[in-house]
Amino acid sequence: EEPPKKNFTWFIGTVIFVSGSLLTFGSFGFAPQSILAPMECSQFVSNVFFARIILGEKVTRRQIVGTAALILGIICIIIAHTEASKGKESSHRLDAEEMVVYFSSEGTAFWIYMMAAGGLLVVSHTTFLKYRAAKARGETLYRHGLIEPGCFSIVSALVGTVSLLFVKCISELLIKTLDTECGENQFTHWFTYVAIICWIPTVSFWLSRMNWGLALYSPLLVIPLLQCGFVFFAILIGGIYFHEFNALIQSPYLALFIGGVGGMFYGVFLLAPKDGMH
């Protein structure tokens, strides 16, 4: 088989994927992160289609129901955020100084999240290494077909959503700079460059992990796992840092949001292979 990096199809696919990801990241400057992130679920439909048509993989009823549960769950999340924010939208864009404040004096909840995320990352990566080592020895551990790719996806998504946070900051600052009515040059502030420097390695990590995940696992499993984790942690980190949860927590739509998250994870459970590694 031709090495991946010399395969023309692989090259074209990678270019399309990277271009689409960059366009997706750029869109986060135009709406709340906790609303835009779940919209990435639209690829789950094409995921099932392409896996069957191009890769020739069998699509089971269980996988179709799992994909539907994922989509329904994320739609519920979008509805919950949209309805809870009605009448409370603001056209104000943060400037670099305000973003620094969100990281410092008003960032207590954000740093609590980051510490919890760091702990989860360490546990997930350690578990992933344990399961990979067991597979290399020919052993199959408990729920191996779900836990190994699941831990891989959690680590990928935790870092990937940090890149999303910074790219949203960059998008907001760029739009504010280019605003012809009341634009202010945000590239005179040091935080703009810190955001760019932090974005480059984190987005590179996310893109490379997506590519590696496709090499390790079935796309019918790993793409929903990666994107489910990405959407979930993107909602959390964006909602906490940009204070997007303030309206949701005080509204009756909080239960719908929690139900949507539950639907996402139920869909992942259905998409997981039943026995062993896929």
Side-chain angles (χ1 to χ4, degrees):
E1 184 178 350
E2 191 176 1
K5 291 186 179 180
K6 296 182 180 180
N7 187 301
F8 183 71
T9 303
W10 177 90
F11 175 77
I12 294 298
T14 300
V15 170
I16 294 173
F17 168 71
V18 172
S19 300
S21 297
L22 292 177
L23 288 172
T24 299
F25 286 151
S27 71
F28 281 86
F30 299 95
Q33 179 173 318
S34 52
I35 292 178
L36 285 179
M39 292 184 181
E40 293 202 20
C41 72
S42 59
Q43 69 180 284
F44 293 139
V45 177
S46 59
N47 176 42
V48 174
F49 175 79
F50 286 120
R52 176 68 182 91
I53 302 300
I54 296 179
L55 302 179
E57 297 198 11
K58 182 180 179 181
V59 179
T60 65
R61 181 178 299 179
R62 177 186 175 94
Q63 289 168 330
I64 293 174
V65 173
T67 300
L70 275 168
I71 294 173
L72 181 61
I74 297 178
I75 288 175
C76 289
I77 292 172
I78 295 173
I79 292 174
H81 274 280
T82 303
E83 292 298 319
S85 301
K86 275 187 176 179
K88 301 177 182 178
E89 300 90 345
S90 173
S91 59
H92 173 70
R93 292 190 180 278
L94 298 177
D95 59 26
E97 193 61 43
E98 289 173 310
M99 290 180 182
V100 172
V101 172
Y102 275 23
F103 272 110
S104 55
S105 61
E106 296 184 18
T108 303
F110 172 75
W111 287 112
I112 290 174
Y113 166 81
M114 290 299 291
M115 288 188 288
L120 178 59
L121 188 149
V122 171
V123 171
S124 298
H125 186 60
T126 302
T127 304
F128 168 75
L129 294 177
K130 175 183 176 181
Y131 273 67
R132 287 295 292 173
K135 183 190 176 186
R137 297 192 302 267
E139 301 175 8
T140 300
L141 304 181
Y142 175 74
R143 295 289 293 174
H144 207 134
L146 177 61
I147 293 179
E148 182 188 325
C151 289
F152 175 90
S153 301
I154 288 172
V155 173
S156 305
L158 283 169
V159 178
T161 49
V162 172
S163 75
L164 185 58
L165 174 70
F166 283 113
V167 83
K168 179 168 174 60
C169 289
I170 295 168
S171 296
E172 293 270 356
L173 296 174
L174 182 60
I175 293 171
K176 194 172 184 68
T177 298
L178 298 177
D179 190 338
T180 56
E181 294 184 1
C182 55
E184 302 172 7
N185 186 4
Q186 299 300 308
F187 286 85
T188 60
H189 197 286
W190 59 267
F191 177 77
T192 303
Y193 300 96
V194 170
I196 294 172
I197 292 171
C198 291
W199 172 67
I200 292 174
T202 50
V203 74
S204 299
F205 180 87
W206 167 246
L207 295 176
S208 65
R209 294 280 288 196
M210 285 281 284
N211 193 40
W212 187 24
L214 289 171
L216 291 177
Y217 312 108
S218 164
L220 286 176
L221 172 65
V222 74
I223 291 179
L225 279 174
L226 283 167
Q227 292 306 126
C228 185
F230 187 85
V231 167
F232 179 67
F233 293 120
I235 291 172
L236 287 182
I237 194 171
I240 293 172
Y241 176 77
F242 292 105
H243 300 180
E244 296 171 359
F245 284 154
N246 291 356
L248 181 62
I249 293 175
Q250 301 171 8
S251 78
Y253 293 97
L254 180 60
L256 183 61
F257 169 79
I258 295 173
V261 172
M264 282 180 18
F265 284 105
Y266 179 64
V268 170
F269 171 77
L270 292 179
L271 286 166
K274 290 184 178 180
D275 302 302
M277 292 298 295
H278 189 89

